[in-house]
Amino acid sequence: EEAEHVLGEWTDNPATGMHEKECEICGYVEAEAHDYDEWTDNHETGKCERECTVCGHVEQSDHMYGEYVDNHESGKHERACIECGHKEESEHVFSGWQSIDSDKEHKKSCTLCEHEEAAEHTFGKWSETDNDTHERECEDCGYIMTEDHEFDSAVNIGNGQHKLTCS
């Protein structure tokens, strides 16, 4: 004679990655895929996790982060896990200083987000390049500032000649 299966509670079967319930009389097994809720951040494990709403099986995963963005309030950059929303914040990682075609400033950019910082050049001493100009180089970015000499005084050096002095 035929009878309905007498199925037990849903349990997780790690071997199949599904949950199942078994007939208490004949051993028949009914299996279904897990039905997970939303990913959440598990602060204790440092991972994302979600729970099957049927059998309680918990699946864990490493965070899967999106792109870094500049956090103007903290002065750092951050990125969020695309699954659970967990945020990770860290210091900017800067490239070297780069000239911005200016006698006044240069900039450095974070290699991971869009953050930039500008600062005044740090020039060394002037050096003569030829009779008409002198130059100095920024110690941070290598920008070279060249200017014409501005002669403001003359000194007699004898033999009918004088030497001009640049200010």
Side-chain angles (χ1 to χ4, degrees):
E1 143 182 10
E2 291 185 23
E4 295 280 324
H5 290 291
V6 179
L7 298 173
E9 297 292 317
W10 288 106
T11 59
D12 176 42
N13 184 340
T16 64
M18 301 175 84
H19 55 240
E20 57 189 41
K21 51 185 171 179
E22 184 176 345
C23 177
E24 297 172 1
I25 298 170
C26 71
Y28 165 79
V29 175
E30 184 177 313
E32 292 182 355
H34 290 293
D35 181 19
Y36 291 110
D37 57 8
E38 296 292 316
W39 286 103
T40 59
D41 181 21
N42 183 326
H43 300 288
E44 292 178 17
T45 64
K47 294 182 179 278
C48 298
E49 71 179 31
R50 61 185 181 169
E51 186 175 349
C52 177
T53 60
V54 176
C55 72
H57 168 73
V58 175
E59 179 180 44
Q60 288 190 331
S61 172
D62 290 332
H63 292 296
M64 297 187 324
Y65 291 104
E67 297 291 319
Y68 280 103
V69 294
D70 190 9
N71 182 333
H72 301 287
E73 291 178 19
S74 72
K76 299 178 180 182
H77 56 230
E78 67 183 21
R79 59 186 182 168
C81 176
I82 61 175
E83 296 289 358
C84 72
H86 170 77
K87 289 188 178 181
E88 176 183 79
E89 187 176 72
S90 59
E91 298 289 334
H92 292 292
V93 178
F94 289 105
S95 61
W97 288 103
Q98 298 173 332
S99 173
I100 52 176
D101 298 325
S102 164
D103 286 345
K104 296 180 181 181
E105 292 184 322
H106 49 225
K107 70 175 181 177
K108 61 182 177 179
S109 303
C110 179
T111 60
L112 300 174
C113 75
E114 71 277 4
H115 179 76
E116 291 183 341
E117 291 183 9
E120 290 185 11
H121 287 296
T122 308
F123 286 113
K125 293 184 179 186
W126 287 104
S127 62
E128 189 170 328
T129 56
D130 58 39
N131 289 336
D132 296 325
T133 63
H134 52 242
E135 68 184 22
R136 61 184 179 167
E137 183 176 357
C138 176
E139 297 169 357
D140 297 320
C141 73
Y143 175 78
I144 296 176
M145 176 190 282
T146 303
E147 289 185 350
D148 292 333
H149 288 299
E150 293 183 22
F151 298 109
D152 62 355
S153 63
V155 176
N156 183 1
I157 58 172
N159 298 330
Q161 297 183 342
H162 60 263
K163 180 178 180 177
L164 298 174
T165 304
C166 178
S167 58

